[in-house]
Amino acid sequence: MSNIYQHFRPDEKEFIDQVLNWQQFVEDSYSSKLSDFLDPRQIHIVKTIIGTHSQVKYGEFGGYDGAERKRMLLYPDYLIPENNDFQTSLLEIVYPSKFVTLSHRQVLGSLMSIGLKREKFGDILVQNNRIQFIVPSEMIDYVKMELKQIGKSKIQLVELPLNQIITSSEEWKEQSTTVSALRLDAILSSVYPISRQKAQTLIQHGLVKVNWKEVEQVSFVCDEGDVISARGYGRSKIITIEGQTKKDKWRLKVGILK
């Protein structure tokens, strides 16, 4: 089992151990284990570890089709989970939208300022003047009690059924590309219309994040599920790594946020 770590990054060991503990819990207790909201890279790790395990299966749900952050449910193979098992709820922010403009960043900051770590809530959705976000059902009361203001604006939170979720303004364009290596600088220069030298400059100046963490190593090796953001160029994600060509280039399917 220790060999499993060689397939992932050293800084992911703690999360891998957590997933292995979840798997063991399900095997030993014959009951399900529900995660917090995981980012795409973490979801990829869970799928890789659990795989086609004979006794433990997994499901994923983030409140709506196309969610980026999702809760994962590990469960015994004889169970058939439903969406309700993911204990996911929807809150909408009511604020004086005629006089105030609220941003995704402000909502994110305000949620974290009341003591919520990023894994404790899901996607934040913005459409025109409407803003919604996904939370664990068990935290509805806490969030309603603590979040009374965003920026200088007083707000109210209204719980809605998941079928009233707004369509996110985010739209991902999928495309295939090839890169000479899975290095961060090579992928940036392939996904965006910039030279490899420009990509290296962005990375070295702390303007690039992988999975929401700043990375300053141009040789950082990317993997499936990674979400990459470069200041001034937007966000992209590696959907799949499809293998190598006859010329030893890597074939990737990527999503680019429009």
Side-chain angles (χ1 to χ4, degrees):
M1 182 62 73
S2 61
N3 290 334
I4 196 168
Y5 298 108
Q6 69 185 12
H7 301 292
F8 302 99
R9 300 172 184 134
D11 64 349
E12 293 172 332
K13 181 181 184 301
E14 184 178 350
F15 180 70
I16 293 166
D17 288 340
Q18 190 175 38
V19 176
L20 293 173
N21 287 336
W22 294 343
Q23 177 180 293
Q24 193 65 51
F25 171 82
V26 175
E27 290 179 348
D28 294 344
S29 66
Y30 301 102
S31 57
S32 301
K33 176 64 179 179
L34 182 62
S35 77
D36 289 328
F37 287 93
L38 307 181
D39 65 43
R41 174 63 181 173
Q42 292 172 320
I43 292 170
H44 169 71
I45 291 173
V46 174
K47 290 180 176 180
T48 301
I49 291 175
I50 303 302
T52 55
H53 195 273
S54 59
Q55 293 178 280
V56 180
K57 304 298 180 184
Y58 65 81
E60 55 188 293
F61 185 62
Y64 66 103
D65 291 339
E68 183 173 86
R69 290 179 175 267
K70 303 175 185 178
R71 302 189 86 174
M72 295 198 75
L73 185 73
L74 275 58
Y75 58 91
D77 57 0
Y78 57 83
L79 292 182
I80 302 177
E82 299 179 351
N83 285 347
N84 287 341
D85 295 321
F86 292 87
Q87 299 175 31
T88 302
S89 298
L90 175 66
L91 287 174
E92 179 155 343
I93 300 171
V94 179
Y95 66 103
S97 57
K98 289 184 179 180
F99 310 102
V100 176
T101 300
L102 297 182
S103 67
H104 182 288
R105 179 177 294 183
Q106 285 177 301
V107 176
L108 174 62
S110 296
L111 285 168
M112 298 186 76
S113 73
I114 63 171
L116 296 183
K117 295 182 177 180
R118 187 59 188 91
E119 62 268 21
K120 291 300 182 182
F121 54 96
D123 289 359
I124 299 170
L125 302 148
V126 180
Q127 184 188 74
N128 299 323
N129 293 326
R130 296 183 68 189
I131 303 175
Q132 299 175 342
F133 58 95
I134 309 293
V135 293
S137 299
E138 65 269 21
M139 297 195 72
I140 283 279
D141 291 341
Y142 174 81
V143 176
K144 281 185 172 181
M145 180 175 63
E146 295 294 330
L147 189 61
K148 302 288 188 180
Q149 184 170 324
I150 297 177
K152 295 182 179 180
S153 178
K154 301 289 186 182
I155 62 110
Q156 289 183 322
L157 297 175
V158 177
E159 184 178 359
L160 297 175
L162 289 174
N163 61 14
Q164 291 188 28
I165 198 164
I166 59 178
T167 302
S168 173
S169 58
E170 292 188 346
E171 185 178 351
W172 294 86
K173 177 184 178 182
E174 291 188 9
Q175 69 178 45
S176 297
T177 187
T178 58
V179 293
S180 58
L182 295 175
R183 289 166 48 119
L184 181 56
D185 59 343
I187 291 176
L188 274 181
S189 64
S190 176
V191 172
Y192 301 109
I194 58 177
S195 67
R196 191 151 176 177
Q197 184 177 7
K198 175 65 174 177
Q200 291 174 351
T201 300
L202 290 171
I203 296 166
Q204 291 167 344
H205 283 77
L207 302 178
V208 176
K209 292 183 178 180
V210 179
N211 300 328
W212 300 274
K213 297 178 183 178
E214 191 175 293
V215 175
E216 296 184 0
Q217 297 172 285
V218 297
S219 60
F220 180 89
V221 178
C222 297
D223 204 345
E224 281 190 17
D226 281 344
V227 176
I228 302 168
S229 59
R231 192 176 303 172
Y233 293 90
R235 192 148 55 107
S236 59
K237 60 184 176 182
I238 300 175
I239 300 171
T240 55
I241 297 175
E242 299 176 334
Q244 290 182 282
T245 68
K246 293 180 179 179
K247 295 183 178 180
D248 292 330
K249 288 193 172 184
W250 291 93
R251 293 192 303 269
L252 307 179
K253 180 180 289 185
V254 300
I256 302 173
L257 189 60
K258 291 184 178 180

